[in-house]
Structure formats: C-alpha cells, structure tokens
Amino acid sequence: MPEVRKDPITGGWVIISTDRSRRPTDFYRGSTTKTGGYCPFCNGNEDKTPHEILAYRENGSQTPDSEGWLLRVVPNKFPALQIEGEMGRVGEGLYDKMNGIGAHEIIIETPHHDRTIPTMTDTEVESMFWAYRDRLIDLKRDKRFRYILIFKNHGEAAGASVEHSHSQLIALPIVPSKVREEVEGAKRYYGLKERCIYCDIIRQELDDNVRVITENPDFVAVAPYAPRFPFETWILPKHHESSYEESLRLEYKNLARITKDILSRLDKALENPPYNMIVHTSPIAEVHNDYYHWHIEIMPTLTKVAGFEWGTGFYINPTPPEEAAKFLREIVE
Ligand SMILES: [Zn+2]
Ligand SMILES: [Zn+2]
Ligand SMILES: [Zn+2]
C-alpha cells in the first residue's frame, strides 16, 4: 500500500510508493558527461562574460577580468531580472505587478572545464561556499531586495545551459512563495512548541538513524521524511543557524566536505545524474531568528513533474527515503 506522508514543515503531501519501489538502476539516466568545446566560462575567455563582480585569485594577477583566477562571479549575460532601476509596484486593482528589479549572477566555481563538485578539490568547493557568503553579505545591503536565492543546475536535464560547473544567484524584490511556505510553517511550529522544527527534525533523525546518510561535526545529510523526489537529500547545520552567511569560518570547510561526499554518492548510485541544488536561508528582513534554520536541498532530476503534481501540489515519489538513505549510506569511496 502506498503511503501518503505529510511534510511537517510546509504541510505538503507526497505519495511514497512502498510496493514497487524503484532502485537506483531503474531510473533513466541523462548523461551529464562533459563534452568540452568552446566555453565562455573557461580560463582565458574572460572577455566573453560581463565584467566580474568578484574573483578569487592566487597571489599572481590581480587585474580584473584577466586569466589566472580560481573562482569568478559575473552578472548573467541574459538576466531574469535587471539590476538597474527603481523599485515600484505599478499594479492597479486586481492585477498586481512590479518592476523587474533584481540581481542575477553566475558563480563560476572553477577554471577547469571538466571538473564537477565531486572531482573538484576540497578547497575549490569551500571557495564556492565562501563566494555564496560574500555575495549574500554584499547584496543584502541593497534595500530593494527581500530575498536572495542561490542555486545550482547540473546537467542539461536539470536546466544547465552551460556545462562548465557554475552556480547562480538571484536577488529578488519579494520573498518567493516556496520560502514563505517553509518560513511560515517553521513559525507556526515555533509558536506551538517554542523550538525550531529543523532542530527537532535533526534530533529525531539522528536518534532514529534510518534516514541519515552521513554526518560530520557541523552538518548532517538526511533523506527527508516526505521527499518530493527520489533521492532528495537535505544538508542541515547541526547547530541552529537562521542564515547561511552567519555560519562560522570552520563550518564552510565541513559544508564543502559533506556536499562533495553526498554528490559523489549520488554520482555513484545514479551514474552522474543531473540535479538541482538550492540554498534556503532566512529572508533578509528576518536574518536572525529562532524559528527558521538554513539548509541545502539536493534534488536529482530522475522523474518528471506532470499533470497530477501540477494539479494537486502532491508529489509522487517511487523511492522511499529510508531506502534511498540506505543505498547512499552503503556506498563506499
Ligand atoms: Zn569551460
Ligand atoms: Zn534550528
Ligand atoms: Zn527548504
């Protein structure tokens, strides 16, 4: 009998097929092997992107937009939202609209075209997380923005149009509804129990030890109780922290380690699947709070969202998280 489970944070429902559950080998595998060829993100092609906003370089060259960088952040050449302009709500009556103000940046995580997070060095992955932090700190000073979303699409099926490993950042003049749902759910729980729901989930998962995939001193990676997608994985800081950029220096090292570890396990279990990775952090107006707990969600692109999901907001997931966690736990380096 399938199980219908409720996400304790958002209240969203998922249908978990427990009878004919699908193992890693049952999934269609879209290839994410790198093909090479011309690439605007490669070292030496700095003039093919807009001027860099931030770059990490070794002691050598300090000239912006020159070769020899370790990581670069550039504006998206085809931004979803525009950085120049005034905020303004121009809607009247029933239909609301506002100016498309926002920042859309690309974080080029490595100069090496063929590297992915599992094949990058620990330092490269750590730098990626530092760049997220640097950009968050800078952009949240801009009073026009209410939320900053950082995400990564890996592989064409997951929406990556350039194969060179990169993340994206979008600063928004509103708090997106998915984040609102989580924050509201967490606030509701806090109102009842005066505890952070994520902290409670972490405690319970570590006690049960059924859906935990791996952990280190600062982070734990779990298959959530009501995952929308097969092999969906959450990475959570063990100590309560409402905002990503507030983490301590050492934590980014452990964040890099656990993220690399999880993505390596997924690569092995599912043969280099396309995936989306998102960072969920508190809205800018609520940077410090006791109810919301920042985290990373990783969703391999293995199933398609179709009519039932669009029509109901229910997700059908053919792999119980307990089995997904077991597969991933048992993968050895
Ligand atoms: Zn490249
Ligand atoms: Zn917490
Ligand atoms: Zn989330």
Side-chain angles (χ1 to χ4, degrees):
M1 174 96 81
E3 250 180 58
V4 185
R5 295 190 182 183
K6 188 180 176 183
D7 181 288
I9 302 153
T10 60
W13 293 91
V14 299
I15 299 172
I16 310 275
S17 349
T18 41
D19 291 348
R20 294 182 309 147
S21 79
R22 291 171 72 183
R23 303 166 58 85
T25 46
D26 297 336
F27 289 105
Y28 162 73
R29 288 179 293 276
S31 169
T32 58
T33 326
K34 306 244 162 153
T35 52
Y38 171 75
C39 167
F41 294 172
C42 270
N43 190 41
N45 292 344
E46 292 74 22
D47 59 339
K48 301 300 185 297
T49 63
H51 294 300
E52 70 194 29
I53 298 166
L54 169 76
Y56 299 155
R57 296 190 146 79
E58 256 164 349
N59 301 327
S61 160
Q62 296 303 320
T63 318
D65 299 317
S66 68
E67 287 183 43
W69 44 275
L70 305 170
L71 175 147
R72 270 183 106 215
V73 181
V74 297
N76 191 320
K77 214 170 180 174
F78 309 102
L81 293 161
Q82 223 180 310
I83 188 83
E84 304 293 345
E86 290 298 312
M87 277 278 292
R89 240 189 157 100
V90 282
E92 271 174 36
L94 177 62
Y95 299 114
D96 213 0
K97 65 175 177 181
M98 61 206 302
N99 293 334
I101 301 295
H104 191 169
E105 302 180 355
I106 303 286
I107 297 144
I108 308 169
E109 301 147 4
T110 167
H112 303 286
H113 187 85
D114 56 349
R115 291 194 188 165
T116 60
I117 290 185
T119 60
M120 281 183 209
T121 62
D122 285 5
T123 317
E124 278 180 309
V125 183
E126 195 185 335
S127 297
M128 172 185 91
F129 286 123
W130 276 103
Y132 290 4
R133 178 180 180 271
D134 285 346
R135 295 309 302 140
L136 277 168
I137 290 173
D138 185 33
L139 283 164
K140 75 181 184 183
R141 287 197 296 251
D142 190 323
K143 295 292 171 244
R144 298 171 303 169
F145 302 143
R146 300 271 165 79
Y147 197 78
I148 299 164
L149 182 77
I150 297 176
F151 61 98
K152 178 176 169 66
N153 301 332
H154 173 79
E156 218 177 332
S161 48
V162 175
E163 64 176 13
H164 192 125
S165 198
H166 65 283
S167 309
Q168 301 186 52
L169 172 155
I170 297 193
L172 296 160
I174 44 141
V175 178
S177 60
K178 290 262 183 223
V179 176
R180 210 7 87 223
E181 258 180 33
E182 285 187 5
V183 173
E184 291 307 323
K187 261 187 191 164
R188 223 167 14 245
Y189 186 89
Y190 192 85
L192 290 171
K193 309 213 171 175
E194 291 191 25
R195 291 195 308 268
C196 161
I197 187 165
Y198 293 90
C199 286
D200 275 7
I201 289 174
I202 293 166
R203 220 177 345 255
Q204 169 120 19
E205 292 298 341
L206 287 171
D207 275 357
D208 293 352
N209 204 20
V210 177
R211 282 177 296 268
V212 171
I213 301 161
T214 183
E215 60 174 311
N216 66 32
D218 295 317
F219 291 90
V220 58
V222 300
Y225 171 74
R228 295 152 294 173
F229 308 103
F231 293 88
E232 178 174 341
T233 301
W234 294 359
I235 297 173
L236 303 124
K238 282 184 177 171
H239 303 292
H240 183 78
E241 270 160 11
S242 49
S243 291
Y244 174 89
E245 70 277 12
E246 305 286 312
S247 293
L248 304 170
R249 184 167 195 100
L250 256 178
E251 290 181 20
Y252 292 102
K253 194 179 264 322
N254 278 330
L255 176 60
R257 285 193 183 129
I258 201 164
T259 306
K260 223 181 123 169
D261 181 11
I262 286 297
L263 291 170
S264 304
R265 286 170 197 263
L266 289 170
D267 267 4
K268 285 189 183 117
L270 301 159
E271 295 188 357
N272 307 318
Y275 66 84
N276 301 107
M277 177 169 103
I278 56 167
V279 177
H280 269 160
T281 185
S282 291
I284 295 172
E286 319 170 51
V287 167
H288 300 283
N289 66 68
D290 294 330
Y291 45 85
Y292 193 68
H293 191 121
W294 79 263
H295 56 274
I296 287 178
E297 299 179 15
I298 297 169
M299 280 116 1
T301 317
L302 304 169
T303 49
K304 286 206 164 68
V305 172
F308 180 74
E309 283 89 348
W310 290 124
T312 58
F314 272 47
Y315 286 84
I316 302 176
N317 180 351
T319 306
E322 295 73 23
E323 285 179 30
K326 188 166 181 286
F327 279 123
L328 296 177
R329 232 182 1 246
E330 286 169 359
I331 285 171
V332 280
E333 290 294 306

